[in-house]
Amino acid sequence: MNNRLEELRRARNIRQEELAEALQVTRQTIGSLENGRYNPSILLAFKIARYFDLAIEDIFLYEEESQ
Amino acid sequence: MKREWIKLGSSAALAAVFLVLGAFGAGFAHRDIIFYMGFGYCGASAVTLVRMLRERRRPERYEAARREQQIILQDERRIMLREKSGRAGYIIMWYTLMLIAIVLMFTPAPRWVVWCMWALVIYQYVVGLAAFRYYMRRL
């Protein structure tokens, strides 16, 4: 699963630490999400979507082939 | 802070119990080990006490560290990593115990030690299975 987290964060000029604090996760988790090493739970995905005021599908891109 | 006091109180109480038992418990075969355990708990109590005194001097730093700890505890990636490492530890321990039990069978180790090792292997497997079934029913 790919995501646009880094792109959205940079576009809004937010630091990883700030995003992590807002989502109540560690900065490393944000890094792992951005690198695509970690897929978030549905709960965290919703939190991220709400934070950016977008739908989950606008941030997380599910690719059938990668499965 | 209340949790810190509980932590300090319980480790100090354990230290006192082990030190007294180690020093005066004439009926125990391994009094020396009990006594050293008391020393270990003394160290733990001292570390907690020093930390509490430092925190009292700089409450804002303590509050920041507490918030960070809270986030670390509830961070879902860390929870997942803890579960993954627990699983890895379980598998490694299972194979290690089994290897030790097999090796012990070819050595002049007392019979009860070999049986204990095999009992531990079986016990670990059964506990793992029981935990799995418990979570199967709950989730």
Side-chain angles (χ1 to χ4, degrees), chain A residues 3-10 19 23 29-30 33-34 48 52 59-60:
Chain A
N3 68 69
R4 295 174 52 221
L5 197 59
E6 188 173 5
E7 176 197 327
L8 290 166
R9 183 177 61 77
R10 284 185 192 279
L19 182 60
L23 299 171
T29 297
I30 300 296
L33 284 167
E34 288 183 355
I48 293 168
F52 287 109
I59 303 170
F60 297 97

Side-chain angles (χ1 to χ4, degrees), chain B residues 107-126:
Chain B
T107 65
R111 211 175 161 75
W112 68 269
V113 173
V114 181
W115 278 115
C116 272
M117 289 312 295
W118 281 113
L120 276 176
V121 172
I122 295 163
Y123 178 69
Q124 192 182 4
Y125 182 76
V126 169

Side-chain angles (χ1 to χ4, degrees), chain A:
Chain A
M1 190 162 69
N2 290 327
N3 68 69
R4 295 174 52 221
L5 197 59
E6 188 173 5
E7 176 197 327
L8 290 166
R9 183 177 61 77
R10 284 185 192 279
R12 289 168 201 225
N13 210 17
I14 304 163
R15 287 186 302 122
Q16 278 191 341
E17 287 85 351
E18 290 167 338
L19 182 60
E21 202 177 331
L23 299 171
Q24 292 285 289
V25 295
T26 57
R27 192 196 55 75
Q28 292 96 321
T29 297
I30 300 296
S32 290
L33 284 167
E34 288 183 355
N35 293 331
R37 286 197 305 261
Y38 174 65
N39 289 326
S41 69
I42 192 76
L43 204 74
L44 183 57
F46 267 111
K47 274 188 184 177
I48 293 168
R50 285 219 178 130
Y51 181 84
F52 287 109
D53 207 15
L54 291 167
I56 289 180
E57 308 91 277
D58 297 330
I59 303 170
F60 297 97
L61 317 161
Y62 175 67
E63 290 173 340
E64 198 81 44
E65 307 89 67
S66 66
Q67 292 299 302

Side-chain angles (χ1 to χ4, degrees), chain A residues 24-26 28-29 32 38-41 44, chain B residues 67-68 70-72 74-78 80:
Chain A
Q24 292 285 289
V25 295
T26 57
Q28 292 96 321
T29 297
S32 290
Y38 174 65
N39 289 326
S41 69
L44 183 57
Chain B
R67 260 205 313 274
E68 199 184 320
Q70 190 83 25
I71 288 174
I72 285 172
Q74 65 191 34
D75 180 62
E76 65 170 47
R77 183 175 143 271
R78 282 189 183 241
M80 183 268 285

